[in-house]
Each structure stands twice: as structure tokens, then as C-alpha cells.
Amino acid sequence: MTRPCLPPLADITPPAFRAPPGACDSHAHVFGPFARYPLADDRSYTPAEHPADAFIAHLDALGLTHGVLVTASASGTDNSVVTDALRQYPSRLRGIAVPAADTTDAQLDAWHDAGVRGVRFNLYQLDGHAVYRNGVGIDVLEALAPRLKARGWHAQIWIHAPDLVTLGPRLRALGLSLVVDHMGRMATSRGVGDPGFQALCALLADGVAWTKISGADRLQPAGAPYRDVDAFVAALLAANPEQIVWGSDWPHINYFDPAQMPDDGVLFNLLARWLPDEAARQRVLVMNPARLYGFD
């Protein structure tokens, strides 16, 4: 039995600036109702129910137009909670699914019709050990890559940036657009000079990969105001501002200490520091996600 995760904060810090029309939260998860969308029996954490309408309320609270839902590892390879949410809010949402090794072309096409625009692969390890159960690995990615490319999809990669030193050439060889979650999910204590983080910057600079400037709370667990993350965001923006999107990571799964639960308003307001001019925010919040996920 896994531990139940805490819910996100109900009262958040108000946004410090008005999001531009069409702004997008490019990374979030939905769960439940569990009577209809049960969690995988084998999972690393147990979230509460956070259905699609709760995510829409989250978008509205931050003044955002669009959102991207990612099938979480606690759902295994059952993507129905995401695809049904996409069908419920077709103009506002896009999705990232988790494929099984035997996913058929018909299934990929059905997902595309629902609003899926990529698939997620879990390569996240620490000290050679997988951190989360239910991950779909690089062998499945390599097998599916031609079919993903044919559909104009990308591969979303959940990876520890230091592992890009060894896995980077293998990922480049796919000839597929990549999206690296949460800036490579690397502790800020490693510094921007870490070879893996520099490999991520190179992937952006070469136009091979995108990244999400999300998960500041995961990179610097000490909490707000997350100043140590600033240098990493600056380096990524310098590498290629056209290949960056932002996400909240709502509902912040796998938190068990109320003192550590991030405030969605505080996370959103980091953009006022990271992207101080309106043109930069327009690029990261509107133009880039529209291009990546196919929003109008």
C-alpha cells in the first residue's frame, strides 16, 4: 500500500501579472473519479481524486486559457482519464499519453483524434534505480519512434539530466522531437555546469529538444522563493527561448508534508522574475505551446 498524497493548496497566492490570452499550463495530471478511472494496482503513490473540472478551475484561477494533461505513472498505461478530459474540453486541453509496447496504430489514431500530441517515457533513475513504477522505457520509445514521427508527435522524456550524457546520443538518433520534463529534474546543488544539464542546453540549442521550466519545487526542495533555480532557467532561455514552455505540475503529487506543498500562485509568479517582459511571456506561455501542442 502506498501513502496517500496531500491535495494541492486550496488558497493560492494571487497572480502577480495577467496571463496573455491563449496562455498554457503545459504540465498537469488528473485523477478519478476512481469508480470510473481506477489507479494502477502497482503504483508508487496514491493521489486523491482530481478530475478534469478541478483542473479547469485551476486554469481559471491563474487566468490561463489552455492546459496539457499528462498521464501519470499511478494510472499505468490506462490513458482514459486523460483522453476523456480532452474530449470534455476539446478547445482548452491537449494530452500526453503513456503507450504500452503493443499499442496499435488504431489506438494512436484514436488518441490523436481526442487531442493527444505526444507520449511520455519514464527514464528517470537515481543511482541506476527507477524512481517510479509503471514507467515505459527507451526500448518502447525506439520501437514507436517512426510511428510517432509520422503523426507529428513528440516524445516527452522524464529523465534525470545527468543521464543525458550517456543517453543523449541514443535520443538524438531517434530523429524525433523531444520534450524534457522539469528542466531535467536535477537538484540545483549540482550547478548549471553539470555535464548533464549542459547536454540538455545543447539539445535545446540544436532544436532537438524542448523543455518545461516547471518543477522549481522539485529542483529546490527548500521552498520558495526558489532563487537557486533562476540560473538554470536563464541558461535554458539563453540556449533557445523558442523551445521552452511552462507548466505548474498541478496537483503536485507525491507530497506528504504540508509545509512542502507548493503554492500554484507562487510558482506562476516566478515567470514575472524569469520572463520580465511581456514579449518573453507571450512566447513561452502562448506561442511555443501553440506550436508544440497544436492549439489554435
Side-chain angles (χ1 to χ4, degrees), residues 25 69 97 121 126 184 210 237 272:
D25 179 345
L69 296 175
F121 298 89
L126 293 177
W210 301 62
L237 288 166

Side-chain angles (χ1 to χ4, degrees), residues 69 87 119 127 183 278 281:
L69 296 175
R87 295 185 181 100
V119 285
D127 299 323
M183 298 180 267
E278 291 185 8
R281 292 198 290 268

Side-chain angles (χ1 to χ4, degrees), residues 61-100:
L62 294 177
L64 302 173
T65 307
H66 297 302
V68 178
L69 296 175
V70 181
T71 298
S73 65
S75 297
T77 56
D78 182 355
N79 296 279
S80 57
V81 68
V82 167
T83 54
D84 283 358
L86 304 185
R87 295 185 181 100
Q88 187 176 355
Y89 297 99
S91 65
R92 297 195 70 176
L93 303 181
R94 296 290 183 269
I96 304 298
V98 174

Side-chain angles (χ1 to χ4, degrees), residues 124 185-190 215-229 254-255 257-262 267:
Y124 185 52
R185 186 56 171 85
M186 187 185 77
T188 55
S189 59
R190 298 183 71 106
D217 50 300
R218 311 280 185 182
L219 277 64
Q220 187 182 339
Y226 308 112
R227 290 282 181 185
D228 290 353
V229 182
N254 220 23
Y255 275 101
D257 181 352
Q260 293 184 326
M261 178 59 67
L267 293 176

Side-chain angles (χ1 to χ4, degrees), residues 237-252:
L237 288 166
N240 192 342
E242 305 294 333
Q243 301 278 110
I244 289 175
V245 295
W246 173 84
S248 68
D249 202 21
W250 183 94
H252 311 292

Side-chain angles (χ1 to χ4, degrees), residues 84-254:
D84 283 358
L86 304 185
R87 295 185 181 100
Q88 187 176 355
Y89 297 99
S91 65
R92 297 195 70 176
L93 303 181
R94 296 290 183 269
I96 304 298
V98 174
D102 59 354
T103 298
T104 65
D105 284 337
Q107 184 64 76
L108 294 175
D109 291 339
W111 289 348
H112 189 93
D113 290 344
V116 171
R117 294 297 179 264
V119 285
R120 192 188 202 196
F121 298 89
N122 187 347
L123 311 184
Y124 185 52
Q125 297 186 347
L126 293 177
D127 299 323
H129 299 287
V131 176
Y132 292 100
R133 297 198 286 274
N134 294 328
V136 176
I138 194 167
D139 292 340
V140 176
L141 168 55
E142 289 174 328
L144 286 177
R147 296 156 65 194
L148 305 181
K149 187 174 183 179
R151 289 166 173 80
W153 287 13
H154 63 267
Q156 184 171 310
I157 308 297
W158 181 215
I159 191 170
H160 193 217
D163 290 336
L164 287 171
V165 174
T166 55
L167 287 179
R170 194 170 171 184
L171 293 171
R172 284 177 179 268
L174 296 170
L176 189 67
S177 290
L178 309 172
V179 177
V180 177
D181 279 346
H182 308 321
M183 298 180 267
R185 186 56 171 85
M186 187 185 77
T188 55
S189 59
R190 298 183 71 106
V192 294
D194 181 272
F197 184 75
Q198 289 299 309
L200 173 58
C201 291
L203 286 168
L204 265 67
D206 293 343
V208 174
W210 301 62
T211 197
K212 301 179 183 183
I213 49 172
S214 57
D217 50 300
R218 311 280 185 182
L219 277 64
Q220 187 182 339
Y226 308 112
R227 290 282 181 185
D228 290 353
V229 182
D230 292 1
F232 292 82
V233 174
L236 294 167
L237 288 166
N240 192 342
E242 305 294 333
Q243 301 278 110
I244 289 175
V245 295
W246 173 84
S248 68
D249 202 21
W250 183 94
H252 311 292
I253 49 182
N254 220 23

